[in-house]
Amino acid sequence: YYVRKQGVLMALLLLCFGRNMDRTEHLKEMFLPVLDEMDVRLYDLVYRNSGRERILEVSIMKQDGSMDLDTCAAVSERLSEVLDEKDPIAEEYTLEVCSPGAEREIRDLNELDAMAGEYVYVRLREPFKKMLEITGEILSVENDLITLEYRDKAARRKAEFTKDNIDYIRLAVRI
């Protein structure tokens, strides 16, 4: 009896999340030509509930990883036009176009190849000198080997690890 109930619950969850995933994929397909035209990349697209309000959040960034308010506003205008024209969402919602933030996750590790000089937080799978977490500046990326300069009290030290050893990495803000 419990297994049958659990199976029904799983089917309902898949049905609900499946619809949301289909909607998200459809919206991405609609938005990509506009984003390409405006020379920005899609970082994330999320359709979520916030209390009673539904929000379509579109996170974008320029090709160099930066973002500014004017670009967000211009992209928001264009995406609004596309949404008004094609009307893919039946219920009422709010469109939010934003940057991924100053501490965005680096999802594509190939981005690291062009990120020398960036300050990052890294969580490793296997420890480097007994450390699983390191925050520092990327000095170089060569053949999947990353060299990071970090501070250990007053001393500056170097850590080396491969991309395969990265569990999670994001930009960090220097304090």
Side-chain angles (χ1 to χ4, degrees):
Y1 177 71
Y2 176 73
V3 171
R4 198 172 83 212
K5 260 189 149 177
Q6 188 177 13
V8 170
L9 177 62
M10 286 301 290
L12 286 171
L13 286 171
L14 286 172
L15 183 64
C16 291
F17 286 117
R19 270 196 202 138
N20 220 9
M21 285 174 45
D22 289 345
R23 174 182 286 167
T24 301
E25 289 306 311
H26 177 67
L27 290 168
K28 283 180 185 178
E29 288 175 17
M30 284 176 41
F31 293 166
L32 284 176
V34 172
L35 300 177
D36 287 344
E37 170 191 315
M38 301 191 79
D39 202 27
V40 295
R41 290 188 297 167
L42 178 66
Y43 178 78
D44 203 5
L45 189 145
V46 179
Y47 189 70
R48 62 183 169 83
N49 292 328
S50 179
R52 290 184 174 177
E53 189 176 5
R54 290 178 191 86
I55 298 173
L56 175 58
E57 183 178 278
V58 182
S59 299
I60 57 170
M61 60 186 178
K62 292 183 178 181
Q63 300 304 328
D64 65 1
S66 67
M67 186 43 54
D68 60 77
L69 191 57
D70 291 337
T71 302
C72 279
V75 169
S76 180
E77 293 269 332
R78 289 284 289 120
L79 293 182
S80 288
E81 291 170 7
V82 169
L83 289 165
D84 288 346
E85 177 186 318
K86 299 192 178 185
D87 201 20
I89 303 172
E91 60 268 6
E92 193 173 307
Y93 63 94
T94 300
L95 172 65
E96 289 184 2
V97 177
C98 58
S99 82
E103 294 192 332
R104 73 172 170 87
E105 178 182 357
I106 299 165
R107 295 178 178 167
D108 180 359
L109 296 182
N110 293 322
E111 275 187 68
L112 294 172
D113 296 340
M115 294 185 79
E118 294 287 349
Y119 197 68
V120 295
Y121 162 83
V122 183
R123 186 173 57 229
L124 301 171
R125 293 172 196 214
E126 298 294 325
F128 172 82
K129 294 187 179 178
K130 299 182 181 179
M131 294 184 296
L132 282 172
E133 297 178 339
I134 306 171
T135 302
E137 181 179 329
I138 298 174
L139 296 178
S140 66
V141 180
E142 295 176 20
N143 300 323
D144 288 347
L145 181 69
I146 299 161
T147 305
L148 190 85
E149 182 180 77
Y150 67 97
R151 290 180 96 39
D152 181 14
K153 298 179 183 164
R156 291 179 185 219
R157 305 207 188 278
K158 290 182 183 175
E160 289 188 336
F161 49 88
T162 61
K163 288 180 182 178
D164 291 343
N165 193 21
I166 296 173
D167 182 48
Y168 174 82
I169 185 167
R170 66 169 168 75
L171 293 176
V173 176
R174 289 183 208 253
I175 298 176

